[in-house]
Amino acid sequence: MGYTIAEKIIRAHLVSGEMKTGEEIGLRIDQTLTQDATGTMAYLEFEAMGIPQVKTERSVAYIDHNTLQSGFENADDHRYIQSVAAKHGIYFSRPGNGICHQVHYERFGIPGKTLIGSDSHTPTGGGLGMLAMGAGGMDVAVAMAGGAYHIPMPRMTFVELIGQLRPNVSAKDIILEVLRMLSVKGGVGAIVEYGGEGVATLSVPERATITNMGAELGATTSIFPSDEVTRQFMAAQGREADWSPLTGDSDAEYAERYTINLSELEPMAACPHSPDNVKPVRELTGIKVDQVAIGSCTNSSFADMTKAASVLKGHKIADGVSLGISPGSRQVFSMMAESGALTAMIDAGARILECACGPCIGMGFAPNSGGVSLRTFNRNFLGRSGTKDGQVYLVSPETAAASALTGTITDPTTMPPIERPQQPDRFRINDDGIIAPLPTCEAETAEVLRGPNIKPFPETGPLDDRIEAAVILKVGDNITTDHIMPAGAKVLPYRSNVPKISEFCFNVVDETFASRAKAAGKGFIVGGSNYGQGSSREHAALAPLYLGIKAVIAKSFARIHAANLVNAGILPLIFEKPEDYDRIEQGDELRLDNVRAALADDRIVLHAGDKEIPLRMDLAERQKAVLLAGGLLDYTALGN
């Protein structure tokens, strides 16, 4: 039996476990990335391990999330990250240099390498043929210290692409179609691999759009072959020496197979408030649009910007529309200026925003109350835009630009066709926005600069053998990390201050949660299916930890969030019978006995008054040891 692309990379990096679906494996990690919303905590955790220099081939710290500096907090975090990066062997990407995922595949990504990042959209690197995965900041810190990254061995899913995209139909429409087919739960426990004749028609940036938004499937990652298209892209980036071919074997086996005919695909849109609420754009035409945003790590490449500029050129945006454009990197921005794309956008009435995540993370450019916002982004969760009742649709650059001109949702295939941009023979390369770490001899005496908003990691302790507490909150299915720990300009500055940021925990769902949890001192959360989907932000576990949450009981968990709960020392428990979810109400007093011994059996009985509810723990042996120790930092401190 042959191997898939992902299996070949896993096999070459396997340090523990067996490649049997569902069993825990440990992987050697070649590269890591962080961004400033998660990086401060990741580097505080790395410092706590006492390792002088990172042990990866390449680790990069990016500043791209918290770029609005209305107070000292974000600036202090940036200064801290730059100083800790210089001291510990980490490359530092300055504010304004670009979005981490865009810059990383431009300047650092290498086919066949492993990459984990403290951002759920790290799978963007799969467009280059990397095994790139999102992870919690603590897992990234362990990898930088030379430790393995542990995941359940995924099943393999194959998506065959046939045919070729029609004019004004985009790679974004491909991944939206996949989401329509599979849903936000459909990729859980899987690696999605793309192949077929249609792959050769897609550029690396187009492939990266697809792998980026594969995170919304709940997939471990997504990946494309490394082929001649990949080689040409890396050559144009001046990095052809890093290229190597990588394809799956013809007799590789997959758990599921799907086919998409690109020639038949039409423009798609994800309607509020979920990335899998997908409909053809033609069914939405005529809906009034208030705002359009083009950019984010999903659609901010030079090719994306060129397509949007081609639609806008020679026209004016509608009077009732505000259009914001965020180039993905300084490379993209400078090439827009040279090519005339930037002038076309400005002349059309666009506002040019910083090379950063910006509106995607709720950092500025929020829509008006109740406003319809078309965005080329990857998530449209309730309130993520910064406006609680904003109506956010996820679309391609072509659909976004066409709709900005008409003032209503518009099918771009009804507009004059634009040419798909050709890849430049040579991208404009200027790495001045990336600062190399200090030489080892200077690093030993280098000072790490900390501001007053930077607080240490919350205290943890060994797992309690008896947990008796109330249900502080009960929530439904598909609770996202944006529900648990919101982002946005008001919240993100406190990412390095867990006591402060915990005040915002579950604020979107229940504004009283944080105060009630803190007053109770300890408690349970009860959730439905796919609890914790979305971002890799470990603060969605750290804030509940600080507020005294001892366990989360759900029908099922998203992979990264479950791992983050374990790393924080919080028990992730699963209803043996999903219908038992209905037997517990918010405020109920619950009890777990002999918890430490129960870990060995993967089963425990929950006592809720006179009711006995069976629960299971889908935990690897290592995760059980982490929980017994009180979390990953305590486990690591014990010499593991």
Side-chain angles (χ1 to χ4, degrees):
M1 183 188 76
Y3 292 99
T4 70
I5 301 170
E7 286 172 338
K8 288 183 178 182
I9 301 175
I10 289 171
R11 189 165 175 245
H13 290 80
L14 193 67
V15 296
S16 66
E18 295 184 39
M19 292 171 55
K20 295 180 180 178
T21 302
E23 292 193 14
E24 186 177 71
I25 57 173
L27 297 174
R28 185 183 76 255
I29 298 301
D30 300 317
Q31 297 186 353
T32 68
L33 68 80
T34 61
Q35 35 86 342
D36 46 326
T38 57
T40 308
M41 191 57 62
Y43 294 122
L44 287 169
E45 292 157 356
F46 178 79
E47 285 186 293
M49 296 176 189
I51 306 295
Q53 293 280 296
V54 296
K55 297 183 179 181
T56 50
E57 294 176 8
R58 181 63 53 92
S59 286
V60 188
Y62 293 91
I63 307 299
D64 61 2
H65 276 57
N66 296 354
T67 55
L68 287 182
Q69 295 172 211
S70 58
F72 67 88
E73 294 88 355
N74 288 344
D76 277 7
D77 278 3
H78 298 170
R79 182 181 65 168
Y80 165 75
I81 292 171
Q82 183 171 354
S83 65
V84 82
K87 183 176 181 68
H88 293 293
I90 300 153
Y91 286 76
F92 178 78
S93 179
R94 292 175 181 267
N97 192 55
I99 303 170
C100 57
H101 310 302
Q102 178 70 31
V103 176
H104 205 86
Y105 83 74
E106 287 175 353
R107 306 306 305 141
F108 297 114
I110 299 175
K113 296 290 187 179
T114 54
L115 164 69
I116 64 170
S118 58
D119 188 289
S120 54
H121 292 110
T122 302
T124 307
L128 269 182
M130 299 188 79
L131 189 72
M133 296 166 285
M138 205 180 306
D139 281 316
V140 175
V142 168
M144 289 191 294
Y149 178 51
H150 297 270
I151 58 170
M153 177 65 193
R155 71 182 188 278
M156 300 293 145
T157 297
F158 187 75
V159 177
E160 181 185 23
L161 303 179
I162 61 175
Q164 185 168 352
L165 291 172
R166 295 179 294 125
N168 296 12
V169 184
S170 168
K172 183 64 161 285
D173 301 313
I174 299 174
I175 187 57
L176 288 173
E177 172 65 6
V178 176
L179 276 156
R180 187 194 65 77
M181 294 164 57
L182 301 185
S183 86
V184 292
K185 303 175 188 177
V188 173
I191 291 177
V192 181
E193 191 164 302
Y194 290 86
E197 63 183 35
V199 165
T201 69
L202 300 176
S203 67
V204 165
E206 288 173 316
R207 299 175 185 187
T209 290
I210 294 167
T211 56
N212 170 281
M213 205 167 168
E216 313 323 319
L217 296 164
T220 302
T221 191
S222 302
I223 193 166
F224 275 83
S226 174
D227 55 12
E228 178 61 19
V229 173
T230 317
R231 185 197 67 76
Q232 291 174 4
F233 174 82
M234 297 191 72
Q237 289 284 354
R239 301 196 299 115
E240 187 174 1
D242 288 335
W243 177 78
S244 60
L246 182 61
T247 58
D249 294 330
S250 59
D251 58 344
E253 295 185 358
Y254 297 89
E256 303 109 356
R257 288 178 176 268
Y258 303 91
T259 300
I260 296 176
N261 188 335
L262 303 183
S263 304
E264 297 175 356
L265 194 63
E266 60 181 310
M268 310 294 283
C271 304
H273 296 284
S274 180
D276 63 356
N277 185 16
V278 176
K279 296 180 181 179
V281 171
R282 59 178 164 77
E283 294 183 9
L284 306 170
T285 55
I287 295 175
K288 184 182 180 299
V289 174
D290 300 289
Q291 184 195 67
V292 174
I294 299 173
S296 89
C297 57
T298 315
N299 281 121
S300 61
S301 68
F302 179 57
D304 289 322
M305 294 294 149
T306 300
K307 289 188 289 187
S310 296
V311 175
L312 295 170
K313 188 173 183 179
H315 304 285
K316 300 289 184 183
I317 62 173
D319 289 346
V321 173
S322 178
L323 170 62
I325 293 175
S326 307
S329 68
R330 191 167 65 158
Q331 179 184 95
V332 171
F333 201 8
S334 62
M335 293 180 69
M336 287 166 61
E338 285 184 342
S339 67
L342 184 61
T343 301
M345 292 172 166
I346 294 171
D347 288 349
R351 296 167 58 186
I352 309 302
L353 309 178
E354 190 172 16
C355 299
C357 301
C360 185
I361 198 65
M363 193 62 70
F365 206 69
N368 53 288
S369 57
V372 171
S373 179
L374 266 60
R375 300 179 163 214
T376 66
F377 303 171
N378 40 47
R379 289 185 177 146
N380 58 347
F381 302 147
L382 181 67
R384 181 180 170 91
S385 65
T387 301
K388 191 168 184 178
D389 60 353
Q391 303 298 302
V392 175
Y393 294 77
L394 306 177
V395 298
S396 70
E398 294 93 327
T399 300
S403 302
L405 295 179
T406 63
T408 61
I409 295 180
T410 299
D411 182 344
T413 61
T414 64
M415 309 281 279
I418 60 170
E419 289 187 21
R420 288 180 66 199
Q422 297 298 309
Q423 177 181 279
D425 292 333
R426 182 79 170 179
F427 287 94
R428 192 173 190 274
I429 299 167
N430 181 340
D431 290 332
D432 290 348
I434 299 169
I435 300 175
L438 293 171
T440 305
C441 58
E442 296 179 30
E444 293 177 1
T445 58
E447 181 184 4
V448 174
L449 306 173
R450 306 172 202 276
N453 187 54
I454 298 174
K455 305 297 182 184
F457 189 85
E459 290 186 12
T460 58
L463 181 67
D464 294 334
D465 198 40
R466 178 186 172 95
I467 302 173
E468 191 167 8
V471 177
I472 307 297
L473 186 68
K474 182 179 180 181
V475 291
D477 294 341
N478 294 322
I479 288 297
T480 73
T481 48
D482 280 76
H483 289 111
I484 304 168
M485 195 64 261
K490 296 178 182 178
V491 181
L492 283 175
Y494 302 112
R495 282 295 180 92
S496 55
N497 185 340
V498 173
K500 179 65 178 178
I501 204 170
S502 69
E503 296 175 11
F504 300 91
C505 190
F506 275 112
N507 196 47
V508 176
V509 176
D510 181 349
E511 293 182 355
T512 71
F513 169 79
S515 59
R516 291 190 297 104
K518 196 168 185 181
K522 58 181 178 179
F524 290 91
I525 293 172
V526 173
S529 299
N530 203 26
Y531 180 88
Q533 67 151 322
S535 168
S536 65
R537 63 190 71 159
E538 64 181 340
H539 295 75
L542 297 181
L545 168 69
Y546 178 79
L547 293 171
I549 297 302
K550 299 296 184 180
V552 179
I553 308 167
K555 295 179 183 178
S556 64
F557 289 91
R559 176 187 67 86
I560 299 176
H561 186 65
N564 284 344
L565 289 173
V566 170
N567 289 347
I570 297 175
L571 271 170
L573 301 170
I574 301 171
F575 288 104
E576 189 74 60
K577 301 174 183 176
E579 60 268 24
D580 282 341
Y581 166 89
D582 297 318
R583 299 176 67 193
I584 301 176
E585 298 299 331
Q586 188 166 307
D588 285 356
E589 291 289 335
L590 308 181
R591 189 182 83 246
L592 295 170
D593 295 323
N594 302 315
V595 176
R596 295 174 68 87
L599 280 175
D601 298 326
D602 292 312
R603 296 290 187 278
I604 193 166
V605 174
L606 176 72
H607 299 275
D610 60 357
K611 293 173 283 192
E612 293 188 348
I613 298 173
L615 306 175
R616 75 176 194 272
M617 313 173 197
D618 289 347
L619 300 170
E621 293 303 313
R622 182 195 61 86
Q623 290 181 305
K624 295 174 185 178
V626 169
L627 283 166
L628 288 170
L632 187 56
L633 272 186
D634 299 277
Y635 176 77
T636 305
L638 293 173
N640 296 293

